[in-house]
Amino acid sequence: QVRLVESGGGLVQPGGSLRLSCAASGSIFRIIARNWYRQAPGSQERELVATLSSDGGSNYEHAVKGRFTISTDNAKNTLYLEMNPLKHEDTAVYYCNVRGYDNPDASFRDYWGQGTQVIVSS
C-alpha cells in the first residue's frame, strides 16, 4: 500500500513558476511509473502531463514539453514537478500517481494523491 500527499500548488501569475511535491509513504513491490496528471476546470477527465518510468526515462504531454520537468528524490520518497513558465491553460488540479505491483502475483494498480490546485492568473 502506498499513500501519496501532494503539496506546492497555489496562485501564480502567467510566466511564473511552481514546484509541486508528492511525498510517498508505504511500500510497493515494483513501480512501473510515477506520473503527474491534471484535471482542468469543467473537465471530466484527468490528463497525463508527465511520466517518469522505472528505467529513469521521462515523457511529457506536448503542451508542457520544455516547460515542465518531472523528477524524483528517492532518498526522500518524493516526486516533483517543476513548472516554468506557467500559462493560463495550466490552471488545473494536479494529481500524482504511482502505477505498480503490490506483489509478484498481483495485477498492476494505481495509487493517487488527493490533488493540489494550481491557478495561473494575473
Side-chain angles (χ1 to χ4, degrees):
Q1 297 290 320
V2 174
R3 181 170 181 257
L4 304 173
V5 179
E6 299 102 332
S7 61
L11 173 64
V12 62
Q13 293 186 342
S17 63
L18 282 174
R19 187 178 79 160
L20 306 183
S21 299
C22 174
S25 60
S27 63
I28 191 169
F29 172 70
R30 184 162 70 90
I31 292 175
I32 298 171
R34 298 174 177 91
N35 305 297
W36 285 98
Y37 284 76
R38 67 185 180 187
Q39 188 166 358
S43 174
Q44 299 300 311
E45 296 184 356
R46 292 182 184 180
E47 171 189 41
L48 179 59
V49 173
T51 295
L52 187 62
S53 60
S54 59
D55 64 3
S58 60
N59 282 288
Y60 299 91
E61 192 269 330
H62 177 74
V64 308
K65 192 173 291 186
R67 299 190 297 119
F68 290 11
T69 303
I70 188 172
S71 64
T72 185
D73 184 333
N74 291 326
K76 296 181 178 179
N77 287 327
T78 301
L79 181 70
Y80 300 101
L81 185 68
E82 299 268 3
M83 305 184 294
N84 182 30
L86 282 158
K87 302 179 179 181
H88 286 291
E89 52 264 41
D90 296 320
T91 294
V93 178
Y94 285 73
Y95 298 89
C96 68
N97 161 270
V98 170
R99 172 167 288 188
Y101 300 94
D102 287 337
N103 61 68
D105 300 320
S107 300
F108 74 83
R109 64 170 294 177
D110 286 304
Y111 291 95
W112 295 92
Q114 82 287 354
T116 185
Q117 176 79 59
V118 172
I119 300 174
V120 184
S121 176
S122 52

